[in-house]
């Protein structure tokens, strides 16, 4: 009970971060599992998930999610491979695949990396034994201990092949276990070694398992399990079993001719009843994926008889099993995509976290019902790391994921999403010449209201029959130029632009008829990825194929037409275009901002500008073809991307015309055209999942900016644009006191709902004499915003001021604020 109370305290402490930020990731792909009291801790590729029981039921459905640790709230990595509670220090140790160990204690988070003696940042297993902690890594074994009075662990020794005189057969340790008899087994990619734990420093005490077969047990990723009598080793498509007395007896082995299916083994368990559990799947580290092509999830061998358990039977799902454990007398499965399973009386109970279907966010689009959709694709015909897993939709706290297993969608590699005026979702894919079985090229169109699907490729168009669950034959009345689609974008007048890679741009209407096709100027190979139509111009971006082209007219572009405009800066003629937004500014009129692989640019339809980390803005001189200084930064003014050199990756304009720019290495910057200032958000100053921003979007109902990364996404509350029903409640002014020299403006919000009532409210500012200072109107986010100036445009003096807000029905609320002029 003491440990449970301690862990609960630890959980509360790490929850105390900015309320305006939230983190979302995928936590149903699970590597490891730990039980502590009535709580379950799951090590996933999206962080560590804590589940707590809310009833006395033994069913896993009685558990609820109480915490997720990730890089947004303290972990050094989201890809957590192993987790252990250390009694010695009363702390959680969480080993990652790429950044060492995170330790959570009453003191908060600590990190063990190479500076504290960790041989490698890739950690595979952690075991506590008496006063020491054993850590297996990809570069050897490390032993840590706690010195009395010292709050952080110290390294006692490292063990490698070199310093054990070859006793440890290899340094890349992929699994580790300590038997009841005190023998430590270390499975490496070069073989399996074992040693009495009290003899680690005696080179001659180390032994290597040899002679199981010819060749010897080596290569691959051996998997270990043991009970009080025997040890089991899984390797490739075989399992070997031997008594713990390695000096006598012979090995039993199981293969395709002896009870197993012949598929690769993903996990083995030799339980306390001497039953052998064998799960099937092949692991690919480069994409973090398991593949199970057999119908069997696992095999259970008991009393020399076997049973193959099939997918989707007796409460089980279809996802591969990544690990089998026996904890407190119960058998648990860690699944790769469906959470955890536990064997109950005659069935398997399941807890599948309610989460997005994947970590990597490729694109974010909000549909006409204000529901955000997320794509997981990438420019690749094969699955990519943490991506290529379909699309997910977020709807009032619930997630729906569409993939080729559970829907008619044509592929899991969804590169782009667009929403048409009829609220149909258009899903685009990259070429699938070498893609996994079942993936198709082209686009799918999903009509949620009518539950209908359409699939269009360069072979034609076909329709899905929900009754027979089959596709019709292709009708060639509509054929795309190519089946490789770099993106889909609205083109005005109920038209959709399809960026056909190496083929040009197809424009389809709402009846899926091709009404136009064009190739942009300034391209050689038509490697088109991006399109943006602002009602007046078309911006077409390519993939290192001469960069940006602009059709400077509101008519549909024509190949070789007269309206094509090529940017004069050479930087935009050899780049990848990631995004364009058009903003109306108070000082310079219309501006078009471009995020490209070569930097951040702006075109005001007369001149070209480049924004940078050293000089705020350069102006391109068309006479000498040089960039010249235009605007300098003020002293101590925040700079683009915090003055860190990085690559822009995406761009988004919010309802207040602020321009948000994601980067590859340093988070995001927001540019306010009214104050002409940058503000930067990056880890560790803010709880971002990653400083690599892959996409940006907006949830108008929640008022959240959606910040996509390779490890999930964050939301940052910036203000609602869709008002829920509410009344005037608790008005808050922030920052208060307001310092105009530091902050560009003060905001007045209606809490806790964060928006004013329906209709147009108004706000009046008064000084202490009762004189009216300023009358404010609601901004796009249903807030009031004040720069501290009076109706004459002069800065108000320091002092106390009062604000009065009235809604359309005449209801009134008041508040007080202070101005401090430094």
């Amino acid at each position: 009970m003491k440990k449970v109370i301690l862990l609960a305290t630890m959980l509360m402490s790490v929850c105390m971060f900015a309320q305006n930020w939230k983190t979302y990731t995928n936590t149903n792909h699970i590597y490891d599992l730990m039980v502590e009291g009535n709580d379950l801790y799951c090590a996933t590729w999206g962080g560590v998930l804590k589940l707590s029981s809310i009833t006395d039921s033994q069913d896993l459905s009685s558990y609820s999610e109480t915490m997720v640790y990730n890089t947004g709230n303290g972990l050094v990595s989201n890809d957590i491979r192993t987790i252990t509670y250390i009694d010695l220090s009363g702390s959680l140790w969480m080993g990652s695949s790429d950044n060492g160990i995170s330790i959570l204690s009453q003191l908060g988070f600590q990190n063990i990396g190479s500076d504290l003696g960790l041989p490698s940042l890739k950690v595979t297993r952690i075991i506590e034994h008496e006063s020491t902690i054993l850590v297996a890594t990809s570069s050897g074994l490390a032993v840590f201990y706690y010195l009395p009075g010292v709050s952080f662990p110290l390294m006692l020794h490292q063990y490698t092949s070199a310093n054990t005189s070859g006793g440890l057969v290899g340094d890349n340790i992929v699994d580790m276990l300590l038997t009841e008899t005190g023998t430590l087994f270390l499975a490496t990619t070069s073989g399996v070694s074992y040693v009495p734990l009290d003899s680690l420093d005696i080179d001659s005490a180390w032994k290597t398992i040899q002679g199981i077969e010819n060749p010897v047990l080596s290569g691959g990723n051996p998997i270990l399990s043991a009970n009080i009598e025997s040890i089991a080793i899984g390797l490739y498509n075989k399992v070997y079993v031997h008594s713990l007395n390695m000096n006598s007896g012979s090995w039993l082995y199981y293969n395709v001719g002896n009870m197993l299916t012949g598929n690769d083994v993903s996990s083995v368990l030799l339980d306390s009843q001497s039953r052998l559990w064998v799960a099937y799947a092949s692991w690919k580290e480069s994409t973090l994926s398991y593949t199970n092509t057999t119908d069997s999830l696992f095999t259970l061998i008991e009393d020399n008889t076997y049973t193959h358990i099939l997918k989707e039977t007796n409460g089980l799902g279809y996802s591969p099993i990544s690990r089998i454990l026996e904890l407190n007398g119960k058998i648990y499965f860690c699944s790769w995509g469906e959470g955890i399973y536990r064997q109950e009386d005659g069935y398997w109970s399941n807890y599948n976290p309610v989460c997005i279907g994947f970590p990597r966010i490729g694109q974010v689009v909000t549909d006409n019902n204000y529901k955000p959709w997320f794509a997981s694709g990438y420019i690749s015909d094969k699955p990519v790391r943490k991506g290529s897993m379909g699309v997910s939709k977020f709807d009032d706290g619930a997630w729906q994921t569409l993939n080729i297993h559970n829907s008619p969608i044509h592929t899991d590699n969804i590169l782009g999403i667009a929403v048409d005026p009829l609220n149909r979702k258009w899903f685009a894919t990259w070429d699938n010449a070498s893609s996994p079985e079942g993936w198709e090229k082209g686009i799918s169109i999903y009509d949620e209201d009518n539950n209908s699907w359409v699939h269009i490729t360069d072979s034609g168009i076909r329709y899905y029959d929900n009754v027979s669950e089959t596709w019709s034959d292709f009708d060639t009345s509509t054929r795309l130029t190519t089946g490789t689609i770099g993106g889909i974008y609205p083109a005005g007048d109920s038209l959709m632009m399809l960026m056909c890679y190496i083929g040009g741009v197809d424009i389809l209407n709402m009846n899926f008829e091709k009404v136009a096709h064009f190739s942009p100027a300034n391209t050689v190979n038509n490697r088109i990825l991006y399109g943006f139509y602002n009602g007046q111009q078309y911006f077409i971006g390519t993939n290192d194929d001469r960069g940006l082209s602009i059709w400077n007219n509101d008519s549909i572009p024509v190949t070789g037409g007269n309206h094509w405009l090529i940017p004069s800066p050479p930087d935009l003629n050899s780049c990848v275009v990631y995004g364009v937004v058009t903003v109306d500014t108070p000082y310079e009129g219309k501006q078009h901002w471009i995020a490209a692989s070569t930097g951040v640019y702006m075109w005001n339809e007369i001149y070209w500008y480049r924004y940078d980390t050293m000089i705020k803005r350069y102006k391109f001189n068309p006479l000498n073809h040089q960039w010249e200084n235009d605007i300098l930064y003020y002293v101590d003014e925040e700079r683009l991307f915090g003055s860190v050199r990085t690559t822009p990756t995406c761009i988004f304009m919010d309802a207040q015309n602020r321009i948000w720019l994601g980067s590859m290495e340093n988070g995001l910057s927001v540019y306010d055209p009214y104050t002409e200032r940058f503000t930067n958000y990056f880890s560790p100053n803010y709880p971002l999942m990653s400083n690599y921003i892959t996409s940006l979007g907006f949830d108008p109902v929640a008022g959240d900016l959606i910040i996509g990364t390779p490890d999930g996404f964050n939301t940052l509350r910036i203000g609602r644009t869709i008002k829920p029903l509410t009344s005037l409640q608790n008005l808050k002014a922030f920052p208060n006191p307001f310092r105009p020299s530091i902050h560009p403006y003060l905001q007045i919000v209606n809490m806790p709902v964060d928006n004013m009532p329906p209709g147009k409210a108004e706000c009046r500012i008064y000084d202490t004499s009762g004189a009216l200072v300023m009358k404010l109107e609601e901004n796009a986010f249903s807030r009031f915003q004040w720069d501290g100036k009076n109706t004459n445009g002069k800065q108000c003096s320091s002092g106390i001021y009062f604000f009065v807000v009235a809604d359309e029905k005449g209801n009134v609320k008041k508040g007080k604020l202070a101005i401090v002029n430094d």
Side-chain angles (χ1 to χ4, degrees), residues 26-46:
N26 176 272
T27 52
N28 60 16
H29 290 69
I30 299 177
Y31 294 107
D32 197 8
L33 178 68
M34 183 193 79
V35 174
E36 186 62 44
N38 291 323
D39 299 328
L40 307 178
Y41 293 85
C42 306
T44 82
W45 69 356

CSV table of all heavy atoms in Angstrom, one decimal, residues 26-46:
chain,number,residue,atom,x,y,z
A,26,ASN,N,-0.3,7.5,-29.4
A,26,ASN,CA,-0.9,6.1,-29.5
A,26,ASN,C,-0.3,5.3,-28.4
A,26,ASN,O,1.0,5.2,-28.3
A,26,ASN,CB,-0.6,5.5,-30.8
A,26,ASN,CG,-1.0,4.1,-30.9
A,26,ASN,OD1,-0.3,3.2,-30.6
A,26,ASN,ND2,-2.3,3.9,-31.4
A,27,THR,N,-1.1,4.6,-27.6
A,27,THR,CA,-0.6,3.8,-26.5
A,27,THR,C,-1.2,2.4,-26.5
A,27,THR,O,-1.1,1.7,-25.5
A,27,THR,CB,-1.0,4.5,-25.1
A,27,THR,OG1,-2.4,4.7,-25.1
A,27,THR,CG2,-0.3,5.8,-24.9
A,28,ASN,N,-1.7,1.9,-27.6
A,28,ASN,CA,-2.2,0.6,-27.7
A,28,ASN,C,-1.2,-0.4,-28.3
A,28,ASN,O,-1.5,-1.5,-28.6
A,28,ASN,CB,-3.6,0.5,-28.3
A,28,ASN,CG,-3.6,1.0,-29.7
A,28,ASN,OD1,-2.6,1.1,-30.4
A,28,ASN,ND2,-4.8,1.2,-30.2
A,29,HIS,N,0.0,0.1,-28.6
A,29,HIS,CA,1.1,-0.8,-29.1
A,29,HIS,C,2.1,-0.9,-28.0
A,29,HIS,O,2.8,0.0,-27.6
A,29,HIS,CB,1.8,-0.1,-30.3
A,29,HIS,CG,1.0,-0.1,-31.6
A,29,HIS,ND1,-0.2,0.7,-31.7
A,29,HIS,CD2,1.1,-0.8,-32.7
A,29,HIS,CE1,-0.7,0.5,-32.9
A,29,HIS,NE2,0.0,-0.4,-33.5
A,30,ILE,N,2.1,-2.1,-27.4
A,30,ILE,CA,2.7,-2.3,-26.0
A,30,ILE,C,3.9,-3.3,-26.1
A,30,ILE,O,3.8,-4.4,-26.6
A,30,ILE,CB,1.6,-2.7,-25.0
A,30,ILE,CG1,0.5,-1.7,-25.0
A,30,ILE,CG2,2.2,-3.0,-23.7
A,30,ILE,CD1,-0.6,-2.0,-24.1
A,31,TYR,N,5.0,-2.8,-25.5
A,31,TYR,CA,6.2,-3.7,-25.4
A,31,TYR,C,6.2,-4.5,-24.1
A,31,TYR,O,6.7,-5.6,-24.1
A,31,TYR,CB,7.5,-2.8,-25.4
A,31,TYR,CG,7.8,-2.0,-26.7
A,31,TYR,CD1,7.6,-0.7,-26.7
A,31,TYR,CD2,8.3,-2.7,-27.8
A,31,TYR,CE1,7.9,0.1,-27.9
A,31,TYR,CE2,8.6,-2.0,-28.9
A,31,TYR,CZ,8.4,-0.6,-29.0
A,31,TYR,OH,8.8,0.1,-30.1
A,32,ASP,N,5.9,-3.9,-23.0
A,32,ASP,CA,6.1,-4.5,-21.7
A,32,ASP,C,5.0,-4.0,-20.8
A,32,ASP,O,4.3,-3.0,-21.0
A,32,ASP,CB,7.4,-4.0,-21.2
A,32,ASP,CG,8.0,-4.9,-20.0
A,32,ASP,OD1,7.3,-5.9,-19.8
A,32,ASP,OD2,9.0,-4.5,-19.4
A,33,LEU,N,4.8,-4.8,-19.7
A,33,LEU,CA,3.7,-4.5,-18.7
A,33,LEU,C,4.2,-4.8,-17.3
A,33,LEU,O,5.1,-5.7,-17.1
A,33,LEU,CB,2.6,-5.5,-19.1
A,33,LEU,CG,1.3,-5.5,-18.2
A,33,LEU,CD1,0.6,-4.2,-18.3
A,33,LEU,CD2,0.4,-6.6,-18.6
A,34,MET,N,3.7,-4.0,-16.4
A,34,MET,CA,4.1,-4.2,-15.0
A,34,MET,C,2.8,-4.0,-14.1
A,34,MET,O,2.0,-3.1,-14.4
A,34,MET,CB,5.2,-3.2,-14.6
A,34,MET,CG,5.6,-3.3,-13.1
A,34,MET,SD,6.6,-1.8,-12.6
A,34,MET,CE,5.3,-0.7,-12.3
A,35,VAL,N,2.7,-4.8,-13.1
A,35,VAL,CA,1.6,-4.7,-12.2
A,35,VAL,C,2.1,-4.3,-10.8
A,35,VAL,O,3.1,-4.8,-10.3
A,35,VAL,CB,0.8,-6.1,-12.0
A,35,VAL,CG1,-0.2,-6.0,-10.9
A,35,VAL,CG2,0.2,-6.5,-13.3
A,36,GLU,N,1.5,-3.2,-10.3
A,36,GLU,CA,1.9,-2.7,-9.0
A,36,GLU,C,0.6,-2.4,-8.2
A,36,GLU,O,-0.1,-1.5,-8.5
A,36,GLU,CB,2.7,-1.4,-9.1
A,36,GLU,CG,3.3,-0.9,-7.8
A,36,GLU,CD,4.2,-1.9,-7.2
A,36,GLU,OE1,5.1,-2.5,-7.9
A,36,GLU,OE2,4.1,-2.1,-5.9
A,37,GLY,N,0.3,-3.3,-7.2
A,37,GLY,CA,-1.0,-3.2,-6.5
A,37,GLY,C,-2.1,-3.5,-7.4
A,37,GLY,O,-2.2,-4.5,-8.1
A,38,ASN,N,-3.1,-2.5,-7.5
A,38,ASN,CA,-4.2,-2.7,-8.4
A,38,ASN,C,-4.0,-1.9,-9.7
A,38,ASN,O,-4.9,-1.7,-10.5
A,38,ASN,CB,-5.5,-2.2,-7.8
A,38,ASN,CG,-5.9,-3.1,-6.6
A,38,ASN,OD1,-5.8,-4.3,-6.7
A,38,ASN,ND2,-6.4,-2.5,-5.6
A,39,ASP,N,-2.8,-1.4,-10.0
A,39,ASP,CA,-2.5,-0.6,-11.1
A,39,ASP,C,-1.6,-1.4,-12.1
A,39,ASP,O,-0.8,-2.2,-11.8
A,39,ASP,CB,-1.7,0.6,-10.7
A,39,ASP,CG,-2.6,1.5,-9.8
A,39,ASP,OD1,-3.8,1.5,-9.9
A,39,ASP,OD2,-2.0,2.2,-8.9
A,40,LEU,N,-1.9,-1.1,-13.4
A,40,LEU,CA,-1.1,-1.7,-14.5
A,40,LEU,C,-0.3,-0.5,-15.2
A,40,LEU,O,-0.9,0.6,-15.4
A,40,LEU,CB,-2.0,-2.3,-15.5
A,40,LEU,CG,-3.0,-3.4,-15.0
A,40,LEU,CD1,-3.8,-3.9,-16.2
A,40,LEU,CD2,-2.3,-4.5,-14.4
A,41,TYR,N,0.9,-0.8,-15.5
A,41,TYR,CA,1.8,0.2,-16.2
A,41,TYR,C,2.2,-0.5,-17.5
A,41,TYR,O,2.8,-1.5,-17.5
A,41,TYR,CB,3.0,0.6,-15.3
A,41,TYR,CG,2.7,1.4,-14.1
A,41,TYR,CD1,2.3,0.7,-12.9
A,41,TYR,CD2,2.7,2.7,-14.1
A,41,TYR,CE1,2.0,1.4,-11.8
A,41,TYR,CE2,2.4,3.5,-13.0
A,41,TYR,CZ,2.0,2.8,-11.8
A,41,TYR,OH,1.7,3.5,-10.7
A,42,CYS,N,1.9,0.2,-18.6
A,42,CYS,CA,2.2,-0.3,-19.9
A,42,CYS,C,3.3,0.5,-20.6
A,42,CYS,O,3.2,1.7,-20.7
A,42,CYS,CB,1.0,-0.3,-20.8
A,42,CYS,SG,-0.4,-1.2,-20.0
A,43,ALA,N,4.4,-0.2,-21.0
A,43,ALA,CA,5.4,0.5,-21.8
A,43,ALA,C,5.1,0.4,-23.2
A,43,ALA,O,4.9,-0.7,-23.8
A,43,ALA,CB,6.8,-0.2,-21.5
A,44,THR,N,4.9,1.6,-23.9
A,44,THR,CA,4.4,1.6,-25.3
A,44,THR,C,5.3,2.5,-26.1
A,44,THR,O,6.2,3.1,-25.6
A,44,THR,CB,2.9,2.2,-25.3
A,44,THR,OG1,3.0,3.6,-25.3
A,44,THR,CG2,2.1,1.7,-24.2
A,45,TRP,N,5.0,2.5,-27.4
A,45,TRP,CA,5.8,3.4,-28.3
A,45,TRP,C,5.3,4.8,-28.2
A,45,TRP,O,5.8,5.7,-28.9
A,45,TRP,CB,5.9,2.9,-29.7
A,45,TRP,CG,4.6,2.9,-30.5
A,45,TRP,CD1,3.3,3.3,-30.0
A,45,TRP,CD2,4.4,2.6,-31.8
A,45,TRP,NE1,2.4,3.2,-31.0
A,45,TRP,CE2,3.0,2.8,-32.2
A,45,TRP,CE3,5.3,2.1,-32.8
A,45,TRP,CZ2,2.5,2.5,-33.4
A,45,TRP,CZ3,4.8,1.9,-34.1
A,45,TRP,CH2,3.4,2.1,-34.4
A,46,GLY,N,4.3,5.1,-27.4
A,46,GLY,CA,3.8,6.4,-27.2
A,46,GLY,C,3.9,6.9,-25.7
A,46,GLY,O,3.2,7.8,-25.3
